[in-house]
């Protein structure tokens, strides 16, 4: 008597990952669709030789949608959306491996692997002149106002010029890199009247200005490690006549009268003379005829 015995495979083994905890460092400027974790590092095995189905989830709020797997049977992780270090610099992914499809009613064995992703800031932004104002909600673009200053005609200052809203100063907005920045004048100084300190940004004079004109300087801030990362700010220097005297009021105290119930913007009259509006006047000995 010949008896044939067929052994039926029972689904009694769970998928097994080579590694259940991985850490990857991803540069911020990684191209979309680039592989983040290769297939060979993520493939799970199954002693029952079942087809394995994969699913990737993100457990850090606000970081979903950036990473994905190539397919339900291909766990290779790739970058699905461009990264931004200012939005987040870390996330954790969980990769599930199942021996049955997700929607299967059969008994399913599951394994998980955790992938920690650290975003490494890249040199993506040119220098910012300060102070500056953000023009978008994600604070990736900051626009500075022009700098302004004054010098006296025919007089050369030996000190760095005082500017508004502050001294010439730029930073690397990729703040974890904080690349060194140097300054130079690239336009507007046709007479070579001014110099800028390459390291500090201090603006000084080489010689006196001889005409009552304004100089509209173009100052460039450049990253030392990459000359293609630069920004240009405008510095307006007004040449004025020297002021030797302070202005002064003609009277130390002024007296005026108003009536109850007057409308806004009504005149205030001189005390004792209700027909003459109160006038507050000042003088300056630099302009005796004005």
């Amino acid at each position: 008597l010949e008896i044939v015995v067929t052994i039926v495979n029972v689904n009694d083994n769970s998928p097994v990952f080579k590694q259940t905890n991985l850490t990857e460092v991803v540069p911020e400027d990684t191209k979309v669709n680039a592989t983040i974790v290769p297939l060979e590092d993520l493939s799970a095995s199954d002693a029952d030789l079942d087809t394995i189905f994969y699913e990737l989830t993100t457990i850090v709020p606000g970081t979903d949608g950036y990473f994905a797997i190539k397919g339900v049977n291909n766990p290779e992780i790739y970058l699905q959306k461009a990264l931004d270090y200012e939005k987040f610099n870390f996330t954790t992914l969980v990769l599930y491996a199942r021996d049955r499809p997700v929607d299967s009613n059969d008994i399913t064995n599951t394994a998980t692997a955790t992938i920690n992703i650290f975003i490494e800031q890249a040199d993506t932004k040119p220098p910012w002149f300060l102070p500056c104002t953000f023009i978008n909600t994600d604070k990736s673009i900051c626009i500075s106002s022009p700098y302004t200053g004054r010098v006296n005609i025919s007089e050369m200052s030996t000190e760095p010029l005082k500017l508004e809203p502050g001294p010439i100063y730029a930073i690397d907005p990729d703040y974890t890199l904080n690349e060194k920045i140097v300054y130079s004048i690239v336009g507007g100084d046709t007479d070579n009247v001014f110099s800028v300190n390459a390291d500090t940004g201090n603006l000084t004079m080489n010689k006196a200005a001889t005409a009552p004109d304004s100089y509209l300087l173009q100052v460039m801030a450049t990253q030392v490690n990459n000359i293609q990362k630069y920004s240009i700010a405008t510095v307006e220097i007004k040449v004025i006549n020297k002021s030797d005297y302070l202005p002064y009021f003609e009277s130390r105290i002024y007296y005026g009268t108003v009536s109850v119930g007057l409308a806004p913007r009504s005149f205030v009259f001189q005390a004792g003379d209700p027909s003459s509006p109160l006038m507050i006047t000042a003088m300056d000995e630099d302009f005796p005829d004005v």
Side-chain angles (χ1 to χ4, degrees):
L1 177 64
E2 181 179 324
I3 301 174
V4 177
V5 178
T6 302
I7 308 300
V8 178
N9 189 15
V10 176
N11 186 18
D12 55 354
N13 292 284
S14 296
V16 176
F17 284 105
K18 294 179 184 177
Q19 304 177 68
T20 57
N21 200 305
L22 296 88
T23 297
E24 298 290 336
V25 177
V26 181
E28 177 187 11
D29 58 353
T30 298
K31 301 296 184 182
V32 172
N33 293 324
T35 296
I36 303 302
V37 187
L39 176 66
E40 54 268 21
D41 292 344
L42 294 172
S43 295
S45 60
D46 189 337
D48 296 319
L49 303 180
D50 291 321
T51 300
I52 298 177
F53 300 86
Y54 298 93
E55 180 186 11
L56 186 68
T57 62
T58 305
I59 64 174
V60 177
T63 64
D64 56 319
Y66 288 88
F67 302 95
I69 56 175
K70 288 291 184 69
V72 67
N73 300 122
N74 184 350
E76 179 177 306
I77 297 176
Y78 70 98
L79 183 64
Q80 188 170 240
K81 187 166 62 171
L83 298 169
D84 186 342
Y85 186 87
E86 276 67 39
K87 290 183 178 179
F88 73 97
N89 54 39
F90 172 77
T91 189
T92 297
L93 311 175
V94 177
L95 179 65
Y96 292 89
R98 301 183 176 91
D99 54 13
R100 295 291 184 273
V102 175
D103 55 356
S104 174
N105 294 322
D106 296 333
I107 296 175
T108 304
N109 297 307
T110 304
T112 60
T114 301
I115 303 98
N116 296 302
I117 304 287
F118 291 89
I119 311 303
E120 183 179 62
Q121 188 167 33
D123 191 3
T124 59
K125 297 183 180 67
W128 288 347
F129 282 96
L130 299 182
C132 64
T133 302
F134 291 109
I135 63 172
N136 52 352
T137 55
D138 63 2
K139 297 185 177 181
S140 60
I141 301 175
C142 202
I143 302 299
S144 63
S145 299
Y147 297 96
T148 60
R150 298 185 300 176
V151 297
N152 296 323
I153 192 170
S154 301
E155 182 177 300
M156 189 184 85
S157 173
T158 58
E159 299 293 327
L161 302 184
K162 293 183 178 180
L163 304 175
E164 295 291 339
I168 297 172
Y169 180 60
I171 63 167
D172 179 5
D174 299 310
Y175 53 88
T176 63
L177 302 178
N178 195 26
E179 298 292 348
K180 180 176 173 58
I181 291 172
V182 293
Y183 305 89
S184 59
I185 296 175
V186 295
D189 189 19
T190 54
D191 300 327
N192 195 31
V193 175
F194 303 96
S195 291
V196 65
N197 186 290
D199 295 319
T200 66
N202 286 336
L203 191 67
T204 55
M205 299 186 72
N206 300 320
K207 58 185 179 180
T210 57
D213 299 322
S214 292
Y215 289 84
L216 203 60
L217 308 178
Q218 303 295 314
V219 176
M220 183 167 67
T222 309
Q223 288 185 194
V224 172
N225 71 321
N226 185 351
I227 62 174
Q228 294 182 340
K229 292 288 192 304
Y230 69 89
S231 292
I232 295 179
T234 300
V235 183
E236 183 181 13
I237 304 296
K238 298 178 180 179
V239 182
I240 62 173
N241 291 317
K242 184 177 180 180
S243 178
D244 293 318
Y245 302 95
L246 293 173
Y248 62 90
F249 289 103
E250 289 188 288
S251 176
R252 295 185 62 184
I253 302 176
Y254 293 84
Y255 295 94
T257 59
V258 295
S259 300
V260 175
L262 282 178
R265 304 183 67 83
S266 297
F267 281 118
V268 176
F269 292 95
Q270 294 185 33
D273 187 358
S275 63
S276 299
L278 179 64
M279 303 288 291
I280 299 175
T281 56
M283 300 290 291
D284 190 332
E285 294 301 330
D286 290 309
F287 306 95
D289 299 328
V290 178

